[in-house]
Amino acid sequence: MKGDWFKRFSDGGKLYLNDESFQPALSAIKEDLPTYLEYIREGDKVLEAACGPGYTAIPLSHYFKVTGFDRDVKVLDAARQNGEKYGKDVEFVEADFFDIVKAFGKNSFDAVSSGGVLEHFPKDKIKTLLDLQLEVAPIVFAQMPLFTKEQVEGVNQFGIETHHYTKKDYLEDIFKGYNILEHRTLEKRPVFGRFREFMAVIGR
Ligand SMILES: C[S@@+](CC[C@H](N)C(=O)[O-])C[C@H]1O[C@@H](n2cnc3c(N)ncnc32)[C@H](O)[C@@H]1O
């Protein structure tokens, strides 16, 4: 996934959590908690993939033992500061998504989750990343915004590429052949703006 994420977060005022931004992030996780708890238990080990400043990893750490990883050290530095302020059981590690088996080991977590990450990769890369996540943990929670075609700019001013994938693309193409345990559309997600999100739970 190309692009200057640090600049994107800092220019957008999204690098550091505050009370105003943390509360909706926590509410979003509370809303999703019943889904997580269908597959893992409270206190289980969750790897939060390409965690950014920790908008998902940090609220998740109120319920699970979370390791967030990202390849951008400046973003990770912000995530650590956010974690100290708002996290519970959370650590942040520098790693590349494509190296997670090497970095963390096979079967090292109970689940891998990601939010707002997979739609930045081409379809073949998403499949590679799913295979890697399923080596690291038996359950994958994946959340992707369902942008409209107009909201997807291709490559934006930060060099970040976003793909316009529909729910049908995920179910009938990208995730085809995978063990989709559950999927649903979340009507509104308040953290990075208002758009629908698609969540899929994938098992081995
Ligand atoms: C949309 S942000 C993730 C936001 C995050 N889910 C949250 O809830 O705060 C995408 C992140 O992916 C990271 N990233 C991009 N490519 C990566 C890779 N190959 N390995 C690890 N992290 C990567 C970027 O540095 C960026 O922080």
Side-chain angles (χ1 to χ4, degrees):
M1 189 204 304
K2 297 180 208 107
D4 189 342
W5 280 96
F6 177 77
K7 193 161 167 38
R8 189 257 177 254
F9 290 128
S10 47
D11 283 13
K14 300 280 187 195
L15 207 46
Y16 297 103
L17 284 170
N18 53 37
D19 293 353
E20 210 181 308
S21 55
F22 178 64
Q23 285 314 321
L26 185 62
S27 299
I29 292 300
K30 275 189 190 155
E31 211 179 293
D32 296 342
L33 196 60
T35 305
Y36 285 97
L37 293 176
E38 277 175 48
Y39 303 96
I40 57 175
R41 286 171 299 193
E42 269 196 65
D44 273 359
K45 288 171 68 181
V46 176
L47 182 65
E48 175 63 24
C51 64
Y55 281 87
T56 314
I58 291 169
L60 263 186
S61 79
H62 288 236
Y63 305 99
F64 305 103
K65 186 175 172 53
V66 177
T67 301
F69 76 84
D70 202 283
R71 69 170 179 195
D72 187 320
V73 289
K74 289 189 288 182
V75 172
L76 272 180
D77 181 57
R80 289 191 182 106
Q81 292 185 49
N82 291 332
E84 269 171 38
K85 211 165 161 194
Y86 293 104
K88 283 208 171 152
D89 194 346
V90 64
E91 64 166 355
F92 293 98
V93 174
E94 183 188 349
D96 191 284
F97 210 163
F98 291 91
D99 292 334
I100 54 172
V101 177
K102 225 185 302 161
F104 300 103
K106 288 188 181 191
N107 298 312
S108 48
F109 286 87
D110 297 298
V112 184
S113 84
S114 70
V117 172
L118 296 184
E119 73 278 8
H120 298 290
F121 290 97
K123 291 177 181 176
D124 61 325
K125 291 274 191 320
I126 296 179
K127 289 173 200 261
T128 303
L129 292 171
L130 272 180
D131 293 339
L132 292 168
Q133 290 176 84
L134 289 167
E135 284 195 54
V136 166
I139 297 287
V140 169
F141 298 102
Q143 289 191 9
M144 292 75 58
L146 291 173
F147 292 121
T148 61
K149 208 157 185 122
E150 296 71 47
Q151 284 172 307
V152 177
E153 308 114 326
V155 178
N156 69 11
Q157 74 265 39
F158 304 108
I160 295 167
E161 189 180 357
T162 308
H163 297 267
H164 176 247
Y165 298 138
T166 62
K167 187 172 162 181
K168 192 164 179 261
D169 290 328
Y170 286 114
L171 289 174
E172 294 179 17
D173 181 1
I174 302 168
F175 295 163
K176 194 175 172 196
Y178 286 90
N179 180 18
I180 302 173
L181 301 170
E182 180 176 344
H183 63 85
R184 64 197 176 95
T185 303
L186 307 156
E187 280 309 322
K188 55 180 165 48
R189 309 297 283 181
V191 180
F192 283 109
R194 299 189 88 77
F195 40 72
R196 291 189 312 143
E197 247 181 359
F198 178 61
M199 180 179 193
V201 185
I202 297 169
R204 284 177 175 157

mmCIF file of all heavy atoms in Angstrom, residues 1-3 5-6 8-9 48-57 69-72 75 95-98 114-117 119-121 129 191-192, ligand 1:
data_model
loop_
_atom_site.group_PDB
_atom_site.id
_atom_site.type_symbol
_atom_site.label_atom_id
_atom_site.label_comp_id
_atom_site.label_asym_id
_atom_site.label_seq_id
_atom_site.Cartn_x
_atom_site.Cartn_y
_atom_site.Cartn_z
ATOM 1 N N MET A 1 0.854 -1.177 0.000
ATOM 2 C CA MET A 1 0.000 0.000 0.000
ATOM 3 C C MET A 1 0.893 1.231 0.000
ATOM 4 O O MET A 1 1.647 1.441 0.925
ATOM 5 C CB MET A 1 -0.864 -0.017 1.273
ATOM 6 C CG MET A 1 -1.932 1.021 1.316
ATOM 7 S SD MET A 1 -2.442 1.435 3.005
ATOM 8 C CE MET A 1 -2.928 -0.126 3.686
ATOM 9 N N LYS A 2 0.784 1.989 -1.091
ATOM 10 C CA LYS A 2 1.676 3.148 -1.210
ATOM 11 C C LYS A 2 1.097 4.360 -0.464
ATOM 12 O O LYS A 2 -0.034 4.334 -0.024
ATOM 13 C CB LYS A 2 1.825 3.510 -2.695
ATOM 14 C CG LYS A 2 2.477 2.418 -3.513
ATOM 15 C CD LYS A 2 2.594 2.870 -4.969
ATOM 16 C CE LYS A 2 2.583 1.671 -5.892
ATOM 17 N NZ LYS A 2 1.357 1.487 -6.657
ATOM 18 N N GLY A 3 1.890 5.422 -0.392
ATOM 19 C CA GLY A 3 1.353 6.678 0.114
ATOM 20 C C GLY A 3 1.956 7.119 1.425
ATOM 21 O O GLY A 3 2.523 6.329 2.163
ATOM 22 N N TRP A 5 1.123 8.020 4.702
ATOM 23 C CA TRP A 5 0.048 7.952 5.689
ATOM 24 C C TRP A 5 0.293 8.927 6.838
ATOM 25 O O TRP A 5 -0.643 9.478 7.406
ATOM 26 C CB TRP A 5 -0.102 6.520 6.205
ATOM 27 C CG TRP A 5 -0.862 5.686 5.248
ATOM 28 C CD1 TRP A 5 -0.360 4.851 4.295
ATOM 29 C CD2 TRP A 5 -2.289 5.641 5.093
ATOM 30 N NE1 TRP A 5 -1.372 4.282 3.569
ATOM 31 C CE2 TRP A 5 -2.559 4.750 4.041
ATOM 32 C CE3 TRP A 5 -3.347 6.265 5.734
ATOM 33 C CZ2 TRP A 5 -3.858 4.461 3.625
ATOM 34 C CZ3 TRP A 5 -4.648 5.979 5.323
ATOM 35 C CH2 TRP A 5 -4.887 5.086 4.280
ATOM 36 N N PHE A 6 1.561 9.133 7.189
ATOM 37 C CA PHE A 6 1.843 10.068 8.285
ATOM 38 C C PHE A 6 1.300 11.455 7.924
ATOM 39 O O PHE A 6 0.625 12.105 8.709
ATOM 40 C CB PHE A 6 3.343 10.115 8.579
ATOM 41 C CG PHE A 6 3.677 11.106 9.652
ATOM 42 C CD1 PHE A 6 3.455 10.815 10.990
ATOM 43 C CD2 PHE A 6 4.202 12.363 9.321
ATOM 44 C CE1 PHE A 6 3.731 11.745 11.982
ATOM 45 C CE2 PHE A 6 4.480 13.291 10.314
ATOM 46 C CZ PHE A 6 4.249 12.977 11.647
ATOM 47 N N ARG A 8 -0.953 12.149 5.711
ATOM 48 C CA ARG A 8 -2.413 12.094 5.599
ATOM 49 C C ARG A 8 -3.060 12.255 6.991
ATOM 50 O O ARG A 8 -3.994 13.016 7.171
ATOM 51 C CB ARG A 8 -2.840 10.759 4.964
ATOM 52 C CG ARG A 8 -4.325 10.674 4.607
ATOM 53 C CD ARG A 8 -5.083 9.865 5.571
ATOM 54 N NE ARG A 8 -6.498 9.779 5.378
ATOM 55 C CZ ARG A 8 -7.372 10.422 6.157
ATOM 56 N NH1 ARG A 8 -6.959 11.326 7.019
ATOM 57 N NH2 ARG A 8 -8.657 10.186 6.049
ATOM 58 N N PHE A 9 -2.505 11.556 7.986
ATOM 59 C CA PHE A 9 -3.073 11.659 9.331
ATOM 60 C C PHE A 9 -2.767 13.022 9.953
ATOM 61 O O PHE A 9 -3.630 13.626 10.595
ATOM 62 C CB PHE A 9 -2.531 10.554 10.253
ATOM 63 C CG PHE A 9 -3.039 9.180 9.911
ATOM 64 C CD1 PHE A 9 -2.157 8.128 9.728
ATOM 65 C CD2 PHE A 9 -4.395 8.930 9.791
ATOM 66 C CE1 PHE A 9 -2.624 6.858 9.419
ATOM 67 C CE2 PHE A 9 -4.867 7.666 9.480
ATOM 68 C CZ PHE A 9 -3.974 6.629 9.297
ATOM 69 N N GLU A 48 -3.742 -6.366 15.443
ATOM 70 C CA GLU A 48 -4.428 -5.324 14.675
ATOM 71 C C GLU A 48 -3.497 -4.881 13.538
ATOM 72 O O GLU A 48 -2.444 -4.281 13.770
ATOM 73 C CB GLU A 48 -4.789 -4.157 15.606
ATOM 74 C CG GLU A 48 -5.392 -2.956 14.936
ATOM 75 C CD GLU A 48 -6.744 -3.216 14.258
ATOM 76 O OE1 GLU A 48 -7.452 -4.164 14.637
ATOM 77 O OE2 GLU A 48 -7.051 -2.464 13.329
ATOM 78 N N ALA A 49 -3.904 -5.217 12.320
ATOM 79 C CA ALA A 49 -3.028 -5.077 11.161
ATOM 80 C C ALA A 49 -3.025 -3.661 10.601
ATOM 81 O O ALA A 49 -4.086 -3.057 10.430
ATOM 82 C CB ALA A 49 -3.471 -6.048 10.073
ATOM 83 N N ALA A 50 -1.831 -3.153 10.291
ATOM 84 C CA ALA A 50 -1.663 -1.808 9.723
ATOM 85 C C ALA A 50 -2.480 -0.817 10.552
ATOM 86 O O ALA A 50 -3.371 -0.138 10.062
ATOM 87 C CB ALA A 50 -2.065 -1.805 8.244
ATOM 88 N N CYS A 51 -2.130 -0.758 11.831
ATOM 89 C CA CYS A 51 -2.994 -0.158 12.871
ATOM 90 C C CYS A 51 -3.121 1.351 12.801
ATOM 91 O O CYS A 51 -3.984 1.924 13.466
ATOM 92 C CB CYS A 51 -2.486 -0.566 14.240
ATOM 93 S SG CYS A 51 -0.821 0.065 14.587
ATOM 94 N N GLY A 52 -2.262 2.029 12.034
ATOM 95 C CA GLY A 52 -2.334 3.492 11.988
ATOM 96 C C GLY A 52 -2.166 4.082 13.385
ATOM 97 O O GLY A 52 -1.457 3.515 14.230
ATOM 98 N N PRO A 53 -2.843 5.203 13.662
ATOM 99 C CA PRO A 53 -2.713 5.829 14.988
ATOM 100 C C PRO A 53 -3.437 5.066 16.091
ATOM 101 O O PRO A 53 -3.418 5.480 17.248
ATOM 102 C CB PRO A 53 -3.352 7.207 14.789
ATOM 103 C CG PRO A 53 -3.495 7.384 13.315
ATOM 104 C CD PRO A 53 -3.602 6.032 12.723
ATOM 105 N N GLY A 54 -4.129 3.969 15.727
ATOM 106 C CA GLY A 54 -4.724 3.110 16.757
ATOM 107 C C GLY A 54 -6.202 3.312 16.997
ATOM 108 O O GLY A 54 -6.708 2.955 18.059
ATOM 109 N N TYR A 55 -6.917 3.862 15.993
ATOM 110 C CA TYR A 55 -8.350 4.108 16.167
ATOM 111 C C TYR A 55 -9.132 2.819 16.442
ATOM 112 O O TYR A 55 -10.216 2.867 17.013
ATOM 113 C CB TYR A 55 -8.938 4.790 14.923
ATOM 114 C CG TYR A 55 -8.635 6.267 14.879
ATOM 115 C CD1 TYR A 55 -7.445 6.736 14.318
ATOM 116 C CD2 TYR A 55 -9.526 7.192 15.414
ATOM 117 C CE1 TYR A 55 -7.157 8.088 14.293
ATOM 118 C CE2 TYR A 55 -9.245 8.542 15.386
ATOM 119 C CZ TYR A 55 -8.060 8.984 14.828
ATOM 120 O OH TYR A 55 -7.780 10.324 14.814
ATOM 121 N N THR A 56 -8.609 1.689 16.010
ATOM 122 C CA THR A 56 -9.268 0.410 16.283
ATOM 123 C C THR A 56 -8.518 -0.335 17.380
ATOM 124 O O THR A 56 -9.125 -0.874 18.303
ATOM 125 C CB THR A 56 -9.323 -0.445 14.993
ATOM 126 O OG1 THR A 56 -9.769 0.373 13.918
ATOM 127 C CG2 THR A 56 -10.260 -1.622 15.163
ATOM 128 N N ALA A 57 -7.175 -0.363 17.273
ATOM 129 C CA ALA A 57 -6.371 -1.129 18.240
ATOM 130 C C ALA A 57 -6.626 -0.665 19.677
ATOM 131 O O ALA A 57 -6.746 -1.483 20.591
ATOM 132 C CB ALA A 57 -4.881 -0.977 17.903
ATOM 133 N N PHE A 69 0.354 -3.416 14.651
ATOM 134 C CA PHE A 69 1.600 -3.218 13.903
ATOM 135 C C PHE A 69 1.354 -2.293 12.729
ATOM 136 O O PHE A 69 0.251 -2.192 12.200
ATOM 137 C CB PHE A 69 2.210 -4.551 13.432
ATOM 138 C CG PHE A 69 1.501 -5.159 12.244
ATOM 139 C CD1 PHE A 69 1.804 -4.777 10.947
ATOM 140 C CD2 PHE A 69 0.527 -6.113 12.432
ATOM 141 C CE1 PHE A 69 1.149 -5.326 9.854
ATOM 142 C CE2 PHE A 69 -0.145 -6.666 11.352
ATOM 143 C CZ PHE A 69 0.165 -6.275 10.059
ATOM 144 N N ASP A 70 2.393 -1.598 12.348
ATOM 145 C CA ASP A 70 2.358 -0.697 11.200
ATOM 146 C C ASP A 70 3.796 -0.604 10.704
ATOM 147 O O ASP A 70 4.735 -0.861 11.454
ATOM 148 C CB ASP A 70 1.851 0.695 11.623
ATOM 149 C CG ASP A 70 1.282 1.496 10.460
ATOM 150 O OD1 ASP A 70 2.078 2.029 9.654
ATOM 151 O OD2 ASP A 70 0.035 1.591 10.349
ATOM 152 N N ARG A 71 3.954 -0.233 9.432
ATOM 153 C CA ARG A 71 5.340 -0.141 8.948
ATOM 154 C C ARG A 71 5.883 1.281 9.046
ATOM 155 O O ARG A 71 7.067 1.513 8.822
ATOM 156 C CB ARG A 71 5.454 -0.661 7.525
ATOM 157 C CG ARG A 71 4.786 0.216 6.509
ATOM 158 C CD ARG A 71 5.129 -0.203 5.119
ATOM 159 N NE ARG A 71 4.440 0.647 4.177
ATOM 160 C CZ ARG A 71 4.290 0.380 2.901
ATOM 161 N NH1 ARG A 71 4.788 -0.727 2.407
ATOM 162 N NH2 ARG A 71 3.662 1.205 2.108
ATOM 163 N N ASP A 72 5.007 2.243 9.379
ATOM 164 C CA ASP A 72 5.436 3.639 9.434
ATOM 165 C C ASP A 72 5.781 4.009 10.885
ATOM 166 O O ASP A 72 4.898 4.101 11.742
ATOM 167 C CB ASP A 72 4.302 4.524 8.900
ATOM 168 C CG ASP A 72 4.708 5.982 8.767
ATOM 169 O OD1 ASP A 72 5.425 6.485 9.666
ATOM 170 O OD2 ASP A 72 4.320 6.621 7.769
ATOM 171 N N VAL A 75 3.965 7.079 12.409
ATOM 172 C CA VAL A 75 2.568 6.780 12.760
ATOM 173 C C VAL A 75 2.537 5.939 14.043
ATOM 174 O O VAL A 75 1.721 6.159 14.935
ATOM 175 C CB VAL A 75 1.864 6.041 11.584
ATOM 176 C CG1 VAL A 75 0.491 5.544 12.006
ATOM 177 C CG2 VAL A 75 1.730 6.962 10.378
ATOM 178 N N ALA A 95 6.215 -3.501 11.824
ATOM 179 C CA ALA A 95 6.255 -4.695 10.961
ATOM 180 C C ALA A 95 5.543 -4.379 9.661
ATOM 181 O O ALA A 95 4.697 -3.481 9.598
ATOM 182 C CB ALA A 95 5.571 -5.880 11.655
ATOM 183 N N ASP A 96 5.894 -5.143 8.623
ATOM 184 C CA ASP A 96 5.213 -5.012 7.338
ATOM 185 C C ASP A 96 4.146 -6.109 7.246
ATOM 186 O O ASP A 96 4.389 -7.251 7.658
ATOM 187 C CB ASP A 96 6.228 -5.162 6.197
ATOM 188 C CG ASP A 96 5.619 -4.762 4.876
ATOM 189 O OD1 ASP A 96 4.816 -5.560 4.306
ATOM 190 O OD2 ASP A 96 5.890 -3.639 4.412
ATOM 191 N N PHE A 97 3.002 -5.755 6.709
ATOM 192 C CA PHE A 97 1.882 -6.696 6.591
ATOM 193 C C PHE A 97 2.316 -7.987 5.878
ATOM 194 O O PHE A 97 1.888 -9.088 6.235
ATOM 195 C CB PHE A 97 0.740 -6.006 5.824
ATOM 196 C CG PHE A 97 -0.643 -6.464 6.198
ATOM 197 C CD1 PHE A 97 -1.759 -5.692 5.855
ATOM 198 C CD2 PHE A 97 -0.868 -7.651 6.882
ATOM 199 C CE1 PHE A 97 -3.053 -6.098 6.189
ATOM 200 C CE2 PHE A 97 -2.155 -8.069 7.229
ATOM 201 C CZ PHE A 97 -3.247 -7.285 6.865
ATOM 202 N N PHE A 98 3.174 -7.846 4.874
ATOM 203 C CA PHE A 98 3.565 -9.021 4.085
ATOM 204 C C PHE A 98 4.569 -9.912 4.821
ATOM 205 O O PHE A 98 4.904 -10.991 4.348
ATOM 206 C CB PHE A 98 4.110 -8.581 2.716
ATOM 207 C CG PHE A 98 3.018 -8.018 1.848
ATOM 208 C CD1 PHE A 98 2.736 -6.660 1.851
ATOM 209 C CD2 PHE A 98 2.238 -8.850 1.051
ATOM 210 C CE1 PHE A 98 1.704 -6.134 1.087
ATOM 211 C CE2 PHE A 98 1.211 -8.347 0.276
ATOM 212 C CZ PHE A 98 0.943 -6.976 0.294
ATOM 213 N N SER A 114 -8.470 -5.928 10.966
ATOM 214 C CA SER A 114 -8.009 -4.723 10.264
ATOM 215 C C SER A 114 -9.217 -3.877 9.929
ATOM 216 O O SER A 114 -10.314 -4.391 9.731
ATOM 217 C CB SER A 114 -7.236 -5.078 8.987
ATOM 218 O OG SER A 114 -8.114 -5.598 8.013
ATOM 219 N N GLY A 115 -8.997 -2.586 9.873
ATOM 220 C CA GLY A 115 -10.083 -1.669 9.533
ATOM 221 C C GLY A 115 -9.578 -0.599 8.587
ATOM 222 O O GLY A 115 -8.609 0.090 8.885
ATOM 223 N N GLY A 116 -10.221 -0.478 7.433
ATOM 224 C CA GLY A 116 -9.822 0.555 6.481
ATOM 225 C C GLY A 116 -8.458 0.313 5.889
ATOM 226 O O GLY A 116 -7.700 1.258 5.636
ATOM 227 N N VAL A 117 -8.139 -0.939 5.652
ATOM 228 C CA VAL A 117 -6.812 -1.288 5.160
ATOM 229 C C VAL A 117 -6.889 -2.030 3.812
ATOM 230 O O VAL A 117 -6.267 -1.618 2.819
ATOM 231 C CB VAL A 117 -6.060 -2.170 6.205
ATOM 232 C CG1 VAL A 117 -4.753 -2.710 5.633
ATOM 233 C CG2 VAL A 117 -5.804 -1.377 7.480
ATOM 234 N N GLU A 119 -8.924 -2.260 1.369
ATOM 235 C CA GLU A 119 -9.377 -1.590 0.135
ATOM 236 C C GLU A 119 -8.270 -0.776 -0.532
ATOM 237 O O GLU A 119 -8.439 -0.274 -1.638
ATOM 238 C CB GLU A 119 -10.602 -0.696 0.427
ATOM 239 C CG GLU A 119 -10.319 0.594 1.195
ATOM 240 C CD GLU A 119 -10.214 0.402 2.713
ATOM 241 O OE1 GLU A 119 -10.209 -0.752 3.166
ATOM 242 O OE2 GLU A 119 -10.126 1.412 3.427
ATOM 243 N N HIS A 120 -7.125 -0.656 0.137
ATOM 244 C CA HIS A 120 -6.006 0.067 -0.461
ATOM 245 C C HIS A 120 -5.084 -0.864 -1.244
ATOM 246 O O HIS A 120 -4.057 -0.422 -1.761
ATOM 247 C CB HIS A 120 -5.203 0.799 0.628
ATOM 248 C CG HIS A 120 -6.019 1.829 1.345
ATOM 249 N ND1 HIS A 120 -6.437 2.998 0.737
ATOM 250 C CD2 HIS A 120 -6.522 1.870 2.595
ATOM 251 C CE1 HIS A 120 -7.157 3.701 1.605
ATOM 252 N NE2 HIS A 120 -7.223 3.034 2.735
ATOM 253 N N PHE A 121 -5.422 -2.138 -1.298
ATOM 254 C CA PHE A 121 -4.591 -3.104 -2.020
ATOM 255 C C PHE A 121 -5.347 -3.652 -3.229
ATOM 256 O O PHE A 121 -6.574 -3.814 -3.182
ATOM 257 C CB PHE A 121 -4.230 -4.285 -1.103
ATOM 258 C CG PHE A 121 -3.272 -3.932 0.003
ATOM 259 C CD1 PHE A 121 -3.737 -3.639 1.279
ATOM 260 C CD2 PHE A 121 -1.902 -3.892 -0.231
ATOM 261 C CE1 PHE A 121 -2.857 -3.315 2.309
ATOM 262 C CE2 PHE A 121 -1.018 -3.564 0.792
ATOM 263 C CZ PHE A 121 -1.494 -3.285 2.060
ATOM 264 N N LEU A 129 -2.651 -11.344 1.544
ATOM 265 C CA LEU A 129 -2.711 -10.887 2.940
ATOM 266 C C LEU A 129 -3.676 -11.729 3.765
ATOM 267 O O LEU A 129 -3.428 -11.987 4.950
ATOM 268 C CB LEU A 129 -3.100 -9.403 2.991
ATOM 269 C CG LEU A 129 -2.032 -8.448 2.442
ATOM 270 C CD1 LEU A 129 -2.570 -7.025 2.324
ATOM 271 C CD2 LEU A 129 -0.784 -8.453 3.332
ATOM 272 N N VAL A 191 -15.906 7.510 12.796
ATOM 273 C CA VAL A 191 -14.527 7.871 13.116
ATOM 274 C C VAL A 191 -13.849 8.713 12.028
ATOM 275 O O VAL A 191 -13.346 9.785 12.292
ATOM 276 C CB VAL A 191 -13.702 6.607 13.456
ATOM 277 C CG1 VAL A 191 -12.270 6.992 13.783
ATOM 278 C CG2 VAL A 191 -14.318 5.880 14.642
ATOM 279 N N PHE A 192 -13.842 8.227 10.798
ATOM 280 C CA PHE A 192 -13.169 8.970 9.720
ATOM 281 C C PHE A 192 -14.161 9.592 8.745
ATOM 282 O O PHE A 192 -13.879 9.751 7.573
ATOM 283 C CB PHE A 192 -12.230 8.033 8.942
ATOM 284 C CG PHE A 192 -10.950 7.741 9.677
ATOM 285 C CD1 PHE A 192 -10.720 6.497 10.215
ATOM 286 C CD2 PHE A 192 -9.976 8.710 9.808
ATOM 287 C CE1 PHE A 192 -9.536 6.219 10.889
ATOM 288 C CE2 PHE A 192 -8.796 8.454 10.478
ATOM 289 C CZ PHE A 192 -8.579 7.210 11.018
HETATM 290 C C1 LIG B 1 -6.102 3.557 6.958
HETATM 291 S S1 LIG B 1 -4.664 3.395 7.948
HETATM 292 C C2 LIG B 1 -5.223 2.310 9.188
HETATM 293 C C3 LIG B 1 -6.068 2.945 10.226
HETATM 294 C C4 LIG B 1 -6.305 2.045 11.394
HETATM 295 N N1 LIG B 1 -7.001 0.840 11.025
HETATM 296 C C5 LIG B 1 -7.028 2.708 12.529
HETATM 297 O O1 LIG B 1 -8.086 2.186 12.935
HETATM 298 O O2 LIG B 1 -6.531 3.713 13.036
HETATM 299 C C6 LIG B 1 -3.568 2.421 7.025
HETATM 300 C C7 LIG B 1 -2.220 2.155 7.679
HETATM 301 O O3 LIG B 1 -1.583 1.102 6.967
HETATM 302 C C8 LIG B 1 -0.185 1.288 7.087
HETATM 303 N N2 LIG B 1 0.451 0.457 6.064
HETATM 304 C C9 LIG B 1 0.413 0.612 4.733
HETATM 305 N N3 LIG B 1 1.043 -0.402 4.125
HETATM 306 C C10 LIG B 1 1.499 -1.223 5.102
HETATM 307 C C11 LIG B 1 2.220 -2.436 5.108
HETATM 308 N N4 LIG B 1 2.607 -3.018 3.971
HETATM 309 N N5 LIG B 1 2.524 -2.992 6.299
HETATM 310 C C12 LIG B 1 2.153 -2.400 7.454
HETATM 311 N N6 LIG B 1 1.456 -1.247 7.510
HETATM 312 C C13 LIG B 1 1.125 -0.671 6.347
HETATM 313 C C14 LIG B 1 -0.016 2.770 6.914
HETATM 314 O O4 LIG B 1 1.230 3.206 7.449
HETATM 315 C C15 LIG B 1 -1.243 3.308 7.662
HETATM 316 O O5 LIG B 1 -0.899 3.672 8.983
#
